[in-house]
Amino acid sequence: MKCAYTAGILDRMLDDGIHPDYVIGVSAGASCGASFVAGQRDRNRRFFVDHVSEPDYMGWTAFRHSGGNFFNLEYIYQDLTGKEGADPLDYDAILANPCEFWAVATDAETALPHYFTKKDISPADYSVFMATCAIPVACRPVEIGGRLYYDGGCSNPIPVRRALEAGCDRVITVLCRPKDTVRTPEKHRSLYHKALARFPKLVHSLDVRHERYNAVLAATRRLEEKGHALIIAPQEELDITTYTKDPVVLQGLYDTAIEEYAAIREKLLEFCGSDHCLGA
């Protein structure tokens, strides 16, 4: 739910006509990225503010109706997002956009990241978004092509290296935590160790996730110092959790992003260059 901040940043980037060549997202960041590539301003905000109050979105009602998902991923990414849904993703716009789009999920058995493209989604099947958002324990793994997947943050929380390997020379990194964050080890280890016992490699990946996150964030900060990256992140730690569902709080987070964007706007436009800023 902290991605309500991301929603605000991406909406303002759409306002400024910023069109990257390459977008890669993790967990809720992937679904936010999809709306961004589709050019659907305000859609991300609606998913974090308006829809969150619906009983089948998240919580114990959603858990019962979905057969074991605290976040009812099928409701969010099929019932709401599908072609006939209440708030559909503009799939045709995603395909028409020449921008590459990637979503990161984690293979439950190998604990390695798997990278899905826009070709792996369709208006009738948005399982890719379900997979990248399937938080271990809170959600059941999502099956795609005979493999089980969990949240992409379990294996590659900030996929900057992937973007560089793809040929990107400048990387905009949108985070939901301050850029000087130092993550600590996961809590409730005994719980996920027991619940995920059949996936020992995933358990180990979760045990060291904080180390992976801290290392890649430090590397991204070094890239920023050299002018190859620009990190957009909250100025202060967000006072919400992954499971916050108060629409007033989430709207406030979105509004905070809009306000903080103003402070970095000129720097961002200069970083992007005229080739990627249309009508700014």
Side-chain angles (χ1 to χ4, degrees):
M1 303 312 297
K2 291 183 178 183
C3 268
Y5 183 89
T6 304
I9 296 298
L10 295 185
D11 274 355
R12 289 296 291 118
M13 289 175 66
L14 284 175
D15 292 341
D16 280 329
I18 295 176
H19 298 287
D21 301 309
Y22 182 102
V23 171
I24 184 167
V26 179
S27 195
S31 58
C32 284
S35 295
F36 175 73
V37 172
Q40 292 178 274
R41 195 192 190 286
D42 198 54
R43 183 173 183 273
N44 287 324
R45 186 201 64 79
R46 294 195 299 271
F47 270 80
F48 289 107
V49 177
D50 299 343
H51 297 310
V52 73
S53 297
E54 297 163 14
D56 277 327
Y57 189 102
M58 66 182 289
W60 295 116
T61 298
F63 185 88
R64 291 194 302 271
H65 289 177
S66 66
N69 286 323
F70 189 80
F71 287 95
N72 189 340
L73 300 177
E74 186 169 350
Y75 177 76
I76 298 170
Y77 294 117
Q78 295 292 141
D79 297 348
L80 292 177
T81 299
K83 186 176 182 179
E84 304 300 326
D87 204 337
L89 181 65
D90 191 339
Y91 176 77
D92 291 338
I94 292 178
L95 287 187
N97 191 332
C99 167
E100 289 190 43
F101 174 75
W102 298 81
V104 187
T106 301
D107 186 297
E109 184 176 349
T110 67
L112 296 175
H114 184 90
Y115 303 96
F116 292 99
T117 75
K118 63 174 73 174
K119 296 180 181 179
D120 295 310
I121 62 176
S122 77
D125 186 2
Y126 288 128
S127 297
V128 165
F129 299 124
M130 295 168 60
T132 188
C133 291
I135 300 172
V137 182
C139 299
R140 292 178 286 108
V142 175
E143 182 177 349
I144 300 177
R147 304 291 298 180
L148 295 177
Y149 295 97
Y150 277 112
D151 192 297
C154 301
S155 57
N156 193 356
I158 310 176
V160 170
R161 177 176 294 179
R162 179 77 178 185
L164 296 174
E165 291 173 348
C168 298
D169 56 355
R170 288 172 291 173
V171 180
I172 301 167
T173 305
V174 183
L175 304 176
C176 301
R177 301 170 183 269
K179 60 192 291 185
D180 60 353
T181 293
V182 177
R183 290 200 65 165
T184 56
E186 296 294 321
K187 299 177 181 178
H188 311 298
R189 285 198 172 197
S190 60
L191 174 62
Y192 70 76
H193 275 232
K194 181 177 181 179
L196 303 172
R198 63 178 174 141
F199 303 123
K201 291 182 180 179
L202 179 65
V203 169
H204 174 71
S205 185
L206 291 173
D207 285 345
V208 300
R209 178 161 65 169
H210 64 292
E211 298 174 4
R212 185 183 303 112
Y213 183 94
N214 293 337
V216 71
L217 181 54
T220 305
R221 289 199 300 264
R222 291 193 293 271
L223 283 172
E224 186 174 46
E225 292 171 358
K226 296 177 181 179
H228 299 304
L230 179 64
I231 301 173
I232 302 176
Q235 295 179 9
E236 299 179 357
E237 185 67 39
L238 304 179
D239 189 24
I240 71 168
T241 72
T242 299
Y243 308 99
T244 296
K245 59 184 302 182
D246 185 336
V248 174
V249 173
L250 293 165
Q251 179 67 50
L253 181 53
Y254 176 90
D255 294 339
T256 295
I258 298 294
E259 295 172 2
E260 293 189 358
Y261 181 91
I264 55 93
R265 179 176 182 267
E266 294 304 320
K267 183 177 181 179
L268 174 61
L269 295 178
E270 181 180 357
F271 181 79
C272 292
S274 59
D275 291 344
H276 296 84
C277 301
L278 307 179

